[in-house]
Amino acid sequence: DSGVTQTPKHLITATGQRVTLRCSPRSGDLSVYWYQQSLDQGLQFLIHYYNGEERAKGNILERFSAQQFPDLHSELNLSSLELGDSALYFCASSVSGWGGETQYFGPGTRLLVL
Amino acid sequence: DQQVKQNSPSLSVQEGRISILNCDYTNSMFDYFLWYKKYPAEGPTFLISISSIKDKNEDGRFTVFLNKSAKHLSLHIVPSQPGDSAVYFCAASDGGATNKLIFGTGTLLAVQP
């Protein structure tokens, strides 16, 4: 158990809908990262938040957004969902977010868009 | 543009023997490398890491070797155990303020009893 929690574990929805994925980092960690793992791709970095502020963006679609709240939990919002958004979404956390820090991953949310 | 490559999609070894998983990278700015293990329906689990100032790091049965001139790293597992059967991901970071990880596509290791 990494100490990172994600809810829900599974999510099934329809195209065009909007969903919210939630992540709670390990106790004491200030940084939260979101990654997407599609069937045909490895883990792709989406976005990094540190202590409530966005620090870096990766290949995140404009339909996707995230935020980190004062209690440090984070939410990833996916809107206007398409079939291709079906994937595993992982959250990770680290202490400060500087390069070279180990990231610890949550169990993931499996999203299926029908 | 795949900056981190794991060219072997799968590897099968006998229990007790050595498993060697390989990873190549193209970005010379990467200076921190990590290996993660992943079981189905679980998140990646951190195994071992290495900084670019080192060429070897060891933790129990796991050793990571880094060859910066060849832009190549490898993970050695000795001895291999059936419980090591999983997908192994290599990841790299450029050590900057973002700490974003660039992952390889993974190698499925099967350790046969």
Side-chain angles (χ1 to χ4, degrees):
Chain A
D1 184 356
S2 67
V4 178
T5 60
Q6 289 187 247
T7 56
K9 195 167 177 61
H10 302 278
L11 201 47
I12 302 174
T13 188
T15 54
Q17 295 298 305
R18 173 190 167 95
V19 296
T20 297
L21 313 184
R22 183 188 168 105
C23 168
S24 292
R26 294 187 317 158
S27 177
D29 284 0
L30 298 178
S31 269
V32 169
Y33 313 80
W34 286 96
Y35 292 85
Q36 178 193 56
Q37 185 181 24
S38 304
L39 271 177
D40 58 347
Q41 294 192 18
L43 286 141
Q44 302 282 320
F45 169 75
L46 293 178
I47 198 163
H48 170 198
Y49 273 83
Y50 169 74
N51 203 21
E53 299 206 353
E54 181 186 303
R55 183 171 272 185
K57 261 186 177 177
N59 298 325
I60 186 166
L61 299 171
E62 285 191 13
R63 300 183 286 109
F64 296 2
S65 65
Q67 57 185 132
Q68 186 180 25
F69 295 86
D71 68 352
L72 301 176
H73 92 270
S74 178
E75 293 180 357
L76 180 67
N77 300 296
L78 314 177
S79 61
S80 303
L81 284 167
E82 301 176 359
L83 296 177
D85 298 327
S86 296
L88 273 165
Y89 291 85
F90 290 104
C91 164
S93 73
S94 71
V95 175
S96 71
W98 288 97
E101 248 184 18
T102 299
Q103 295 178 29
Y104 295 90
F105 282 77
T109 293
R110 182 175 294 275
L111 173 66
L112 180 59
V113 182
L114 300 175
Chain B
D1 176 26
Q2 193 73 23
Q3 297 185 68
V4 178
K5 301 177 186 179
Q6 292 177 257
N7 292 319
S8 299
S10 63
L11 175 68
S12 181
V13 300
Q14 288 295 121
E15 180 178 4
R17 307 293 290 267
I18 184 171
S19 295
I20 300 176
L21 296 100
N22 293 304
C23 179
D24 297 295
Y25 61 96
T26 57
N27 189 340
S28 58
M29 297 300 291
F30 289 149
D31 66 357
Y32 192 67
F33 304 89
L34 306 91
W35 285 93
Y36 286 85
K37 177 169 79 171
K38 187 180 180 308
Y39 294 117
E42 293 185 14
T45 301
F46 170 71
L47 273 177
I48 192 168
S49 62
I50 189 167
S51 162
S52 61
I53 63 173
K54 295 185 172 182
D55 55 17
K56 177 182 173 181
N57 190 26
E58 203 168 344
D59 184 0
R61 295 186 298 114
F62 302 93
T63 303
V64 56
F65 295 92
L66 175 63
N67 182 334
K68 280 199 305 180
S69 60
K71 294 193 178 67
H72 176 84
L73 64 155
S74 60
L75 174 68
H76 292 211
I77 306 173
V78 184
S80 300
Q81 299 172 354
D84 296 329
S85 298
V87 177
Y88 288 76
F89 290 97
C90 167
S93 164
D94 64 9
T98 67
N99 199 30
K100 70 179 185 185
L101 294 179
I102 307 298
F103 281 85
T105 50
T107 296
L108 174 61
L109 174 65
V111 181
Q112 310 296 334

